[in-house]
Amino acid sequence: MGAQVEEVAVDASAVAVVAASIFVWGAVAARIQRADVTAPIVFTAVGALLAALDLVDRQPAPESLKPLVEITLVWVLFSDAARVRPHDLRVEAGDFARLLGLGLPLTILAGWGLAAWLFPDLDLWLTLLIAAALAPTDAALGLPVVTNRVVPARVRRLITVESGLNDGLATPVVMLAIAGAGTAEGVANAPGPVDALLELFVGVLVGIAVGAGGGALLRWTRRRGWAADDFVGVSVLGLALLSYTAALVLQCNGFVAAFCGGSAFGAAAGRRGRSELELVEQASGLVSLLVWLAFGAIAVPVMFDQPDATLVLYAVLSLTAVRMVPVALAAIGSGLDRRTVLFVAWFGPRGLASLVFALLALDELGPAADPVVAVISVTVLLSVVAHGATSAPLASAYGRGAALRGPSPERPDTDVPVRGLPRGRVHHEVR
């Protein structure tokens, strides 16, 4: 009985620390962010501290993390897609098409080739999984880049919209790679690549139907005064889950459905649809903090206990050459100068989406995914440190250089929010 009481007390202590961390972050986040300290840095450190104090189990079963992982990815994909309206893409469609239509596939191919070379013991599906999981960027890891007005609006929009859409575009490749790896590794009940492609296609249709239908219905009821303003955010939160669960009922890919559902909702819901996303964004922000905390508690101690030079080499190349060369190639003909291309190419931090993909792979593939999780974890940790440390000084330097080169013709700012950042949190340079 005494041992049982002690175990409960330990668990309660960890929960208390987590709850206190979330409350304190909400109370002082704006002040801390002015010092260029981001939520991923803080909660990764909190997780590592919990592990160092033995307040959490450093080796939980993947099943215990699965609900958190799934709901995080669903809300993140839905809100990321919904908050980027077609209007945000129309004027600079060429820039976004280059980054997402050319730069992203080239990044995946380059990462795939590098992983196959550095990790010859892994089959091609697992190396593709590494590359696809590390292709999406996370603007939240470099807040000063996208919140500082000395950086031209065109550049901030480019980085923000890319971050908002590339995780959804990479999801089909990740799920296909997991399916192929499951077949190659002989995982029971794993769908084959052909089945995975069919599930992805049906998931697209389900997501569009649910998102567009829900957005249009909400818009119609608002016009008639039927919608309750104090509850409509909860309705959108439920719609995001509906897009995912409806796909599961039809035995297709729920994550792709969530992304397509968010995009369709954003197009169909009208202008007020953006404000009605706030609860989804807040909920995804909360569960995102928990994922970062789990990352700090589980992955950071393992990486320090078992350092691997090959993993570090891949991480460094993934954040530099694998990202920067494809972006430079994609920018040919865009009219962006060399400094801007280098700036955009460097600020491709790897973050939440990569971690969620790693945890999904661990859940689906079991021990076979351990090398994949290790590579992704090292890369994300290095990105948290490198991009967190360089975002403010490089943003300031680039902005001053852009000002000296004179004003550039560009449309005014639009409110394209960054995950985990309150709307309107864009400031002037004060350094």
Side-chain angles (χ1 to χ4, degrees), residues 176 192-205 251-253:
L176 180 64
V194 175
D195 294 333
L197 286 173
L198 179 60
E199 292 177 2
L200 292 170
F201 176 73
V202 178
V204 170
L205 299 180
Q251 298 183 340
C252 55
N253 193 285

Side-chain angles (χ1 to χ4, degrees), residues 33-409:
Q33 286 172 348
R34 283 198 290 272
D36 304 322
V37 178
T38 62
I41 293 176
V42 171
F43 281 84
T44 298
V46 171
L49 177 62
L50 290 175
L53 298 176
D54 290 327
L55 293 177
V56 294
D57 183 3
R58 289 172 50 176
Q59 295 181 333
E63 293 79 6
S64 64
L65 293 174
K66 185 177 181 180
L68 173 64
V69 170
E70 290 182 344
I71 198 169
T72 300
L73 189 55
V74 167
W75 282 339
V76 163
L77 290 173
F78 188 94
S79 61
D80 277 0
R83 67 190 177 195
V84 179
R85 298 174 298 182
H87 175 73
D88 298 325
L89 306 176
R90 191 174 300 126
V91 176
E92 292 155 2
D95 291 341
F96 303 132
R98 286 184 176 91
L99 272 184
L100 298 170
L102 181 60
L104 180 63
L106 288 178
T107 298
I108 293 175
L109 289 174
W112 192 8
L114 179 64
W117 176 52
L118 289 180
F119 309 111
D121 293 337
L122 300 182
D123 64 50
L124 290 179
W125 289 113
L126 289 176
T127 52
L128 174 61
L129 177 57
I130 291 172
L134 285 172
T137 59
D138 189 347
L141 268 69
L143 286 182
V145 175
V146 293
T147 61
N148 197 325
R149 288 189 184 276
V150 301
V151 178
R154 179 188 182 187
V155 176
R156 286 188 277 114
R157 271 194 306 272
L158 192 61
I159 294 173
T160 303
V161 173
E162 180 199 14
S163 171
L165 295 180
N166 57 15
D167 48 3
L169 297 176
T171 298
V173 184
V174 170
M175 304 312 294
L176 180 64
I178 290 176
T183 301
E185 298 291 333
V187 177
N189 301 320
V194 175
D195 294 333
L197 286 173
L198 179 60
E199 292 177 2
L200 292 170
F201 176 73
V202 178
V204 170
L205 299 180
V206 171
I208 292 174
V210 173
L217 178 61
L218 187 58
R219 190 173 186 177
W220 185 78
T221 58
R222 281 199 311 262
R223 288 176 177 174
R224 285 155 179 78
W226 295 357
D229 291 338
D230 58 349
F231 197 80
V232 70
V234 179
S235 298
V236 179
L237 193 69
L239 185 68
L241 293 176
L242 178 61
S243 64
Y244 173 70
T245 54
L248 295 186
V249 170
L250 296 177
Q251 298 183 340
C252 55
N253 193 285
F255 299 116
V256 170
F259 180 77
C260 294
S263 182
F265 173 83
R271 293 182 178 179
R272 288 189 60 186
R274 291 289 293 274
S275 63
E276 290 158 356
L277 279 170
E278 289 188 21
L279 184 58
V280 181
E281 293 171 355
Q282 290 172 350
S284 64
L286 172 61
V287 292
S288 299
L289 297 182
L290 298 179
V291 171
W292 282 112
L293 194 144
F295 171 66
I298 299 170
V300 173
V302 173
M303 286 184 285
F304 281 107
D305 290 344
Q306 301 175 354
D308 188 314
T310 305
L311 297 184
V312 175
L313 176 61
Y314 185 91
V316 170
L317 293 175
S318 177
L319 297 176
T320 53
V322 170
R323 158 75 180 177
M324 300 177 79
V325 173
V327 170
L329 293 175
I332 294 175
S334 66
L336 298 173
D337 60 77
R338 184 174 61 181
R339 285 170 56 92
T340 299
V341 171
L342 289 174
F343 184 77
V344 172
W346 167 243
F347 284 107
R350 310 313 199 276
L352 182 68
S354 298
L355 292 183
V356 173
F357 289 146
L359 293 173
L360 284 175
L362 187 62
D363 178 67
E364 294 291 333
L365 303 176
D370 286 349
V372 175
V373 175
V375 176
I376 293 173
S377 298
V378 172
T379 305
V380 171
L381 180 61
L382 183 62
S383 179
V384 168
V385 176
H387 290 104
T390 61
S391 57
L394 289 184
S396 300
Y398 173 77
R400 287 193 295 268
L404 291 176
R405 292 192 294 274
S408 58

Side-chain angles (χ1 to χ4, degrees), residues 20-32:
S21 300
I22 293 172
F23 173 77
V24 171
W25 175 256
V28 301
R31 179 66 184 89
I32 294 177

Side-chain angles (χ1 to χ4, degrees), residues 398-430:
Y398 173 77
R400 287 193 295 268
L404 291 176
R405 292 192 294 274
S408 58
E410 57 181 20
R411 61 190 177 100
D413 279 339
T414 56
D415 179 24
V416 182
V418 181
R419 181 189 311 140
L421 183 66
R423 292 174 183 273
R425 167 69 163 83
V426 181
H427 60 78
H428 293 278
E429 175 61 54
V430 294

